[in-house]
Amino acid sequence: MKFSNFRFYNATIAFLFLLSIFMPGILMTVQTGETISQIEKRTLARFPDLTWDYPSIKTFPENFELYIKDHFGFRDWLIHNNNLIKYRWLKKSPNPQVAIGKDGWLFYQTDTFGISLSDDFRGLIKLSELQLEGMRRNLETKRDWLGKRGIHYIYIAVPNKQTVYPEYFPERFKVVSRQTQLDQFLEYMKQNSDLQILDLRAVLINTKNQGRIYFKTDSHWNDRGAFIAYQRIIDRIKTASVKVHSSIPESNLEIEERSESGRDLAKLIGLPDLTEFNVPSYSLKNSSFLKNDNPKWAVTGWPWWFQPFETTNQETEANCIVFRDSFFDALLPFFAQHFRHGAYIASKFDYSVIEDLIKKIKPDIVIEEGIERHTFLAFLPEAIFATMGNDLLIRGETGAAIEYFKKAAAVKPNDPDSYCNLGFAFLKARQFMQAVESFKHALHLDPNHIKSNENLRITYDIIQKLNTEITALEQMLLSNPDDVSLLKKLGRAYQRRGETDKALNCFFKVLMIDDSDIDAMKDIALIYAQEKKYDDAITFFNKIIVIAPKRADVFYNLACVYSIQNKLEQAVTALKKAIENGYHDYNRLRFDHDLKNMRNTVFFKKLVSADLKTP
């Protein structure tokens, strides 16, 4: 090599070296104003403010370093190519949340809540007895609560992608046990409950050979998978005697194939340009529903992630409320064809909004749909006690609810919600001083806790009104000590204030004046039943029956007490008497928790079956 050529070669190398050093900095000055990383899909650090005070000067170097790291020239290009090399050549995931499967298939390995889907797939995660029982009670509580209002309830479990396509999941995740958490729970429900979850796994697995039903680079089902799931959902709704027409046949669809990129798992590994080919696209030839993203029933204060919207279709009869996740999006165009009015909320079943929604939507059915991996979120160790406490509170079992909320507060002692829930349970149990103490503790943790402030105000109002009422009644009784009407009013006021001993004293005074007062006997019997003094309650119910043998409500209450004690023969006899004497609230009867133990009796099954057939 000639000397001049050698010098030119060295100069070129030096120039390229200097260019590589300075070019990122030059690019940083040109590309100003970037706030979002297109590869990582996150907000980038902004240039830090600098003022001449100690805190600003102290934090400036660290914040400036973060800014340089986020805005380094060619940063997205370098990250993208690094991710591409790992994905294509090393078969290694750039993101530990995502697993690289066979033939370019991507799967969640660990989801956004930190749940290990790979461990669940392998059968390594087992639900405790407390979690299983808590989930059972949770589903039955929702079903029964809605059932008392004449509304059907369905829970839909959408399968994880690796559940349907285990053959593409990485081979390193060897299956240890064939039983996943969902398998374990469904088996538990089969043995311990009459509630049936709509499990979509079998129908999807059995039809996947007809064409791909999940995206390769996304965690969701595609249009074909959504349509298959939709047909199964409508079939299940029809069995619940909800008036909907049969599912739409494929002949009514426009079906084509397209290419898609930018799916969720591809974005997570920083490769949004990964393209999937031959993706099925389903659309209706004729659609008759309208969608409104700003429904009037949506509460202004709802958090943004509720994403409420509604659909309307004047050609149908039934109404529905759907608590959903993102899997419902793809089946909505088909599903909405079946309902006159549908309300859709992106959350789990929420008691804080459902009562208001029922008044506005008047649903025939409430559907709760969720992906398999999120089915047990409310039953993780940090959440299970609060969930179970809420279920018990809805059932009216305030004493048991209080104990679970105490456990929830012990698990999360710095969480104001824990003490707010406990205070609300005390309030429902009429233990007002304990309620006040709990709400004040929540406000000590968070002075701006809205629910605690409101509940504390309500508690004080109740106490003041009861005190005023009781004082007035006591003053009137001073001049009329034998007025049974005043005594009964005072007893019920004491009962509302949680002072059952004083309430019983008033009712017994009534009986000393008039030993045939049925109202006083019933009040005494109900207090004894509430305090689990069941034999005493039965004694007073029977005293009423001697005096008034046609009281259907008394026979019904007697049936409830016998059922709670698991005295099924006596419970059936009492319920028969209630019906013979005119009891006709079959909706309450079907879902009354007190009658749970007698639901498997032949009489009860025939009774419910006959009522369901009544037009």
Side-chain angles (χ1 to χ4, degrees), residues 132-144 153 185-197 236 395 596 599-600 605:
L132 291 166
E133 179 59 15
M135 187 65 180
R136 179 197 66 77
R137 184 179 293 176
N138 177 262
L139 292 178
E140 289 185 357
T141 298
K142 289 180 281 195
R143 178 199 62 184
D144 296 351
Y153 170 74
F185 178 61
L186 291 176
E187 181 61 30
Y188 183 84
M189 290 294 286
K190 185 178 179 181
Q191 296 176 7
N192 296 279
S193 177
D194 58 350
L195 185 149
Q196 294 183 340
I197 292 173
R236 177 62 176 274
R395 287 176 178 267
K596 176 188 172 184
R599 282 182 184 154
N600 287 326
K605 288 180 177 178

Side-chain angles (χ1 to χ4, degrees), residues 128-139 141 188 351 378-408 421 425:
S128 68
E129 186 72 20
L130 182 64
Q131 289 173 302
L132 291 166
E133 179 59 15
M135 187 65 180
R136 179 197 66 77
R137 184 179 293 176
N138 177 262
L139 292 178
T141 298
Y188 183 84
Y351 283 108
F379 300 90
L380 296 176
E382 66 271 18
I384 185 171
F385 294 128
T387 303
M388 294 181 72
N390 186 58
D391 291 334
L392 288 162
L393 201 59
I394 296 298
R395 287 176 178 267
E397 300 176 45
T398 53
I402 287 168
E403 295 308 310
Y404 274 102
F405 284 133
K406 285 180 179 178
K407 292 177 181 178
N421 290 335

Side-chain angles (χ1 to χ4, degrees), residues 195-227:
L195 185 149
Q196 294 183 340
I197 292 173
L198 178 52
D199 178 14
L200 296 173
R201 293 178 299 178
V203 67
L204 291 171
I205 291 170
N206 292 338
T207 54
K208 69 179 184 180
N209 59 348
Q210 299 172 14
R212 193 184 306 151
I213 56 177
Y214 275 66
F215 289 101
K216 291 179 67 174
T217 61
D218 194 286
S219 60
H220 295 81
W221 51 31
N222 57 32
D223 284 359
R224 179 180 287 122
F227 185 76

Side-chain angles (χ1 to χ4, degrees), residues 270-317:
L271 298 172
D273 54 345
L274 281 183
T275 301
E276 181 176 348
F277 301 97
N278 303 320
V279 177
S281 174
Y282 283 33
S283 59
L284 286 165
K285 293 179 180 178
N286 296 295
S287 179
S288 56
F289 80 91
L290 298 173
K291 183 184 177 187
N292 175 21
D293 290 323
N294 297 292
K296 292 180 180 179
W297 47 259
V299 179
T300 305
W302 282 3
W304 64 268
W305 57 82
F306 270 37
Q307 299 171 12
F309 64 84
E310 67 182 353
T311 61
T312 53
N313 183 358
Q314 298 305 316
E315 298 179 8
T316 55
E317 295 182 40

Side-chain angles (χ1 to χ4, degrees), residues 112-276:
T112 51
F113 292 92
I115 300 169
S116 176
L117 273 66
S118 57
D119 283 353
D120 186 33
F121 173 81
R122 298 177 67 200
L124 297 177
I125 303 177
K126 299 301 178 185
L127 297 166
S128 68
E129 186 72 20
L130 182 64
Q131 289 173 302
L132 291 166
E133 179 59 15
M135 187 65 180
R136 179 197 66 77
R137 184 179 293 176
N138 177 262
L139 292 178
E140 289 185 357
T141 298
K142 289 180 281 195
R143 178 199 62 184
D144 296 351
W145 188 88
L146 290 166
K148 287 178 182 178
R149 292 155 178 80
I151 303 166
H152 296 279
Y153 170 74
I154 295 178
Y155 185 91
I156 303 170
V158 176
N160 293 334
K161 184 176 174 180
Q162 48 264 55
T163 300
V164 179
Y165 286 102
E167 63 270 28
Y168 293 109
F169 205 53
E171 288 185 351
R172 68 178 185 277
F173 298 117
K174 300 294 183 184
V175 173
V176 175
S177 167
R178 293 290 177 185
Q179 188 184 59
T180 63
Q181 290 179 98
L182 186 57
D183 289 323
Q184 186 186 359
F185 178 61
L186 291 176
E187 181 61 30
Y188 183 84
M189 290 294 286
K190 185 178 179 181
Q191 296 176 7
N192 296 279
S193 177
D194 58 350
L195 185 149
Q196 294 183 340
I197 292 173
L198 178 52
D199 178 14
L200 296 173
R201 293 178 299 178
V203 67
L204 291 171
I205 291 170
N206 292 338
T207 54
K208 69 179 184 180
N209 59 348
Q210 299 172 14
R212 193 184 306 151
I213 56 177
Y214 275 66
F215 289 101
K216 291 179 67 174
T217 61
D218 194 286
S219 60
H220 295 81
W221 51 31
N222 57 32
D223 284 359
R224 179 180 287 122
F227 185 76
I228 293 167
Y230 144 78
Q231 291 180 313
R232 181 70 184 88
I233 291 168
I234 294 300
D235 289 345
R236 177 62 176 274
I237 291 173
K238 287 178 71 67
T239 64
S241 301
V242 177
K243 293 181 179 179
V244 294
H245 55 70
S246 299
S247 58
I248 300 164
E250 279 200 2
S251 58
N252 285 14
L253 302 176
E254 296 282 357
I255 302 175
E256 57 183 12
E257 292 187 339
R258 62 175 186 264
S259 301
E260 280 208 22
S261 59
R263 305 303 306 186
D264 65 356
L265 296 177
K267 290 178 181 177
L268 275 176
I269 62 170
L271 298 172
D273 54 345
L274 281 183
T275 301
E276 181 176 348

Side-chain angles (χ1 to χ4, degrees), residues 456-497:
L456 185 59
R457 183 192 63 77
I458 290 170
T459 306
Y460 280 140
D461 285 348
I462 292 172
I463 292 172
Q464 184 179 355
K465 288 177 181 177
L466 281 173
N467 289 345
T468 302
E469 181 183 354
I470 288 170
T471 300
L473 289 168
E474 288 175 337
Q475 288 294 322
M476 285 187 280
L477 278 166
L478 290 175
S479 56
N480 298 285
D482 293 334
D483 189 323
V484 294
S485 176
L486 289 175
L487 282 169
K488 286 188 284 189
K489 287 179 180 179
L490 182 59
R492 288 161 191 162
Y494 278 133
Q495 191 176 355
R496 292 199 305 277
R497 199 163 72 175

